[in-house]
Amino acid sequence: MIKILIVEDEKQISKVMKLYLEKEGYNVTLATDGKVAEDLIDNNLYDLVVLDIMMPYKDGWYLLKKIKSINSKTQVIITSARGEEEDRIFGFELGADDYMVKPISMRELVLRVSLRLKSTIKDIVKEIELGNLKIDEDNRRVFEDEKEIILTPKEYDLMLFFIKNKNRVYSRDDLILKVWGYDFYGDTRTVDTHIKKLREKIEFFKENLKTVWRVGYSLTLEDE
């Protein structure tokens, strides 16, 4: 599971950030001052840190340098009320991967986190094995019992989404938003059609992709 640290001294803002990011399936930890943040950074490896600059005890610039010295691949998104060009440039020079000026849109934060993690996830997960399935993510190829399954691009995206979010129930609207995107103009019957195709093509999905009555769908594995 992707691990995210939020370093933010405004407790209400940090709790809202945590809520939005946990909804996306991330493992989120909060630090409300620089000392706590430094201790967490020293003793844990995070995939991404959302880092406020103006923090008690240890400021964000100090923490940014420490994060990058421990693991340069950890993605860091700076959040700051200071949006002047010199501040943004200074942040990038210290190794920040993104810079957001407060007040922050939570939807934009979720999107930026997702974009920053794409390269990280690709480095970590080259191949997925689940039951008798094997997925080659780099080449978007799927094998079941060593036989290649030919999927359309959206069938593949939907399949991969379920695999990465096992044992969670998603409504048709959720799936449209997360797989097809905000700019999709079709209707939810598109989801049903793609679910049917996945069950027809992949025996593992025929057995494990469950319909939750009046709610949606879930890839449910009894032993997990």
Side-chain angles (χ1 to χ4, degrees):
M1 183 178 287
I2 296 295
K3 293 177 65 176
I4 294 176
L5 174 64
I6 296 174
V7 183
E8 169 61 65
D9 63 332
E10 295 187 47
K11 293 182 180 180
Q12 190 58 40
I13 292 176
S14 66
K15 287 178 181 178
V16 174
M17 286 181 176
K18 186 174 190 287
L19 180 66
Y20 271 78
L21 292 173
E22 284 184 336
K23 191 175 180 181
E24 298 300 311
Y26 302 125
N27 181 353
V28 182
T29 302
L30 298 180
T32 54
D33 69 57
K35 284 183 179 178
V36 172
E38 184 175 24
D39 183 61
L40 288 169
I41 291 162
D42 282 338
N43 292 286
N44 300 274
L45 285 177
Y46 294 97
D47 299 289
L48 183 142
V49 180
V50 180
L51 179 62
D52 186 21
I53 294 303
M54 303 301 292
M55 294 292 296
Y57 307 117
K58 305 279 186 177
D59 69 23
W61 302 131
Y62 170 84
L63 294 170
L64 173 58
K65 288 187 284 187
K66 182 148 204 174
I67 292 164
K68 290 297 184 176
S69 70
I70 293 171
N71 183 6
S72 62
K73 291 186 178 180
T74 298
Q75 298 289 302
V76 179
I77 299 177
I78 289 176
T79 61
S80 176
R82 298 175 61 173
E84 290 80 6
E85 182 181 23
E86 61 183 28
D87 291 305
R88 298 197 306 273
I89 289 174
F90 185 59
F92 288 126
E93 287 176 340
L94 288 181
D97 301 282
D98 204 346
Y99 196 112
M100 297 183 70
V101 179
K102 294 182 177 182
I104 292 170
S105 157
M106 292 299 129
R107 286 178 61 187
E108 183 180 356
L109 174 65
V110 168
L111 178 60
R112 292 203 188 201
V113 166
S114 174
L115 291 172
R116 294 307 335 156
L117 287 172
K118 274 187 177 180
S119 59
T120 304
I121 294 170
K122 187 174 181 180
D123 287 341
I124 295 171
V125 183
K126 294 292 184 182
E127 191 176 87
I128 297 173
E129 292 190 18
L130 184 63
N132 57 348
L133 285 181
K134 184 180 291 184
I135 295 96
D136 175 0
E137 279 200 86
D138 284 347
N139 298 297
R140 294 174 64 90
R141 299 176 70 188
V142 184
F143 300 86
E144 186 169 38
D145 294 326
E146 306 303 323
K147 178 183 177 181
E148 185 166 8
I149 308 296
I150 306 302
L151 301 176
T152 67
K154 271 293 172 277
E155 287 169 359
Y156 176 88
D157 291 342
L158 183 61
M159 175 214 64
L160 193 62
F161 178 81
F162 275 119
I163 286 174
K164 290 187 173 182
N165 296 277
K166 302 185 296 293
N167 297 318
R168 297 179 65 182
V169 180
Y170 290 93
S171 70
R172 291 167 178 82
D173 288 335
D174 287 337
L175 293 169
I176 288 289
L177 183 63
K178 294 179 181 297
V179 178
W180 277 263
Y182 292 102
D183 57 351
F184 178 74
Y185 292 105
D187 59 45
T188 56
R189 286 177 295 181
T190 298
V191 174
D192 298 329
T193 300
H194 282 72
I195 294 288
K196 180 181 178 182
K197 289 294 184 182
L198 287 180
R199 286 170 170 165
E200 289 174 351
K201 292 182 177 183
I202 304 174
E203 188 67 26
F204 182 86
F205 270 64
K206 182 179 179 181
E207 295 174 357
N208 297 289
L209 185 54
K210 309 297 185 184
T211 301
V212 182
W213 180 247
R214 292 187 176 180
V215 181
Y217 297 101
S218 173
L219 183 62
T220 304
L221 306 182
E222 301 298 336
D223 58 345
E224 293 195 11

